[in-house]
Amino acid sequence: PNSVEYIGDEAFDDCQKLRIIKIGNSIKELGDKAFGKCENIISITILSEIPPIIYQATLNSVMKNTEIKVHKNAIKYYKSAKYWSEFTNFVIIE
């Protein structure tokens, strides 16, 4: 829900069935290895225009060409944010 500000360390670590993630607009941080070893993720939607803090291992097994869906006003911030900038497939949501 939009009220979530933090997803804890290893919250979904090694969740092999996880394919699609949708994160609300209040998120500020995704903990270390929050989605670690989740190699089957194909899409991440983030409603926050400010990129949440992530760590090197937060999304460590997620393919770098996975769809990262963000608001059009936010794409430039995600493309320059630490670790988010490693992703190559940003998609605009309205």
Side-chain angles (χ1 to χ4, degrees), residues 1 3-4 11-13 16 25 29 37 42 50 55-56 61 63 67 69-70 74 80-82 88 93:
S3 61
V4 173
F12 298 95
D13 188 47
Q16 296 297 313
N25 60 16
E29 182 178 350
K37 296 183 270 177
I42 59 170
I50 299 170
Y55 303 90
Q56 186 173 12
S61 294
M63 300 295 292
E67 280 188 341
K69 298 178 181 180
V70 296
S80 63
K82 188 171 186 176
T88 60
I93 55 174

Side-chain angles (χ1 to χ4, degrees), residues 44-56:
I44 302 172
T45 300
I46 307 171
L47 301 178
S48 175
E49 290 192 22
I50 299 170
I53 296 167
I54 62 173
Y55 303 90
Q56 186 173 12

